[in-house]
Amino acid sequence: MTLQKRIWDLLVLAIFIFAAAFATAPWFAFRALKAAAQYEDVQALGELVDFPVVRRSLTGQLDEAAPAAKPEAPSLWTNPMGVFKRAIEPIAPPEPKVDRYLTVQGLSALTRGYAPGAAPAPTARPETVLGRMQAVVRGPYPTIAYWDPNRVRIAVRRPGDKSKATIFTFQRRELFVWKLVHIRLPADER
């Protein structure tokens, strides 16, 4: 073999490894998100999730029944009782529904396919190699619902009902850095 042939082979191998790493990086980002939520690694979650963007996307899904525009405030001349009622109402808005989804436990449940609060306790990590292999085979399996170079959607089916899936959307921020930017909930959770 000539030196030129070896260099060509190494170049082809390097391109193949780069392409494989680029294509699988979102899947590894999802696995990192799942592990960080399971082991309550708040710093890793902060690096993997764009919380303001995810909060806005979940708020839009959970508050679909909210009116598009708020009604006009009552006037003292047209509705004096409405003015007094508004004056004694609590100033703080009600607790947003989205908070239970963005906790460590909520993200852990979502990455396993459950709704927050409905997930069984995670099982302890098996000690034996056979136990670890059985845990991998058990599932649920995340699947790629959509892939392009800058955005990937990963679906996690609910273990009890395969027709319902939670969709995680990751966006590429750097060459191999992906962040969670959207979570689409099943229709029954909205």
Side-chain angles (χ1 to χ4, degrees):
M1 256 193 205
T2 66
L3 180 62
Q4 202 172 33
K5 171 79 169 133
R6 283 191 173 165
I7 291 174
W8 177 253
D9 289 344
L10 286 175
L11 182 64
V12 169
L13 179 64
I15 291 171
F16 176 75
I17 291 172
F18 174 80
F22 185 79
T24 59
W27 186 78
F28 284 110
F30 175 78
R31 298 292 296 170
L33 173 70
K34 185 175 181 179
Q38 181 180 359
Y39 296 114
E40 298 180 0
D41 187 352
V42 177
Q43 183 177 359
L45 285 174
E47 294 172 3
L48 293 167
V49 179
D50 190 348
F51 281 103
V53 175
V54 173
R55 176 176 288 280
R56 275 194 306 272
S57 74
L58 284 172
T59 302
Q61 292 177 59
L62 296 172
D63 293 338
E64 286 178 343
K70 292 185 177 184
E72 186 177 327
S75 167
L76 185 60
W77 302 110
T78 60
N79 187 359
M81 291 307 288
V83 171
F84 289 118
K85 180 181 175 188
R86 184 176 172 135
I88 61 173
E89 285 179 341
I91 295 174
E95 190 69 26
K97 297 177 191 178
V98 73
D99 285 346
R100 66 186 178 125
Y101 291 93
L102 294 178
T103 62
V104 173
Q105 293 81 14
L107 286 171
S108 177
L110 288 172
T111 58
R112 293 183 350 198
Y114 295 99
T123 58
R125 184 174 179 191
E127 296 295 325
T128 65
V129 174
L130 180 63
R132 289 183 196 146
M133 289 172 48
Q134 289 174 342
V136 168
V137 171
R138 234 179 287 135
Y141 305 108
T143 57
I144 302 289
Y146 174 79
W147 191 94
D148 80 11
N150 294 320
R151 189 173 299 267
V152 173
R153 291 189 176 98
I154 297 176
V156 178
R157 303 253 175 242
R158 185 160 293 164
D161 186 2
K162 301 294 182 192
S163 66
K164 297 177 183 171
T166 303
I167 309 290
F168 296 87
T169 303
F170 287 86
Q171 185 175 23
R172 185 168 59 89
R173 299 294 170 96
E174 294 176 18
L175 189 58
F176 292 105
V177 177
W178 294 80
K179 275 200 156 192
L180 179 67
V181 294
H182 185 269
I183 299 173
R184 187 172 67 199
L185 304 170
D188 67 335
E189 285 186 37
R190 295 180 188 171

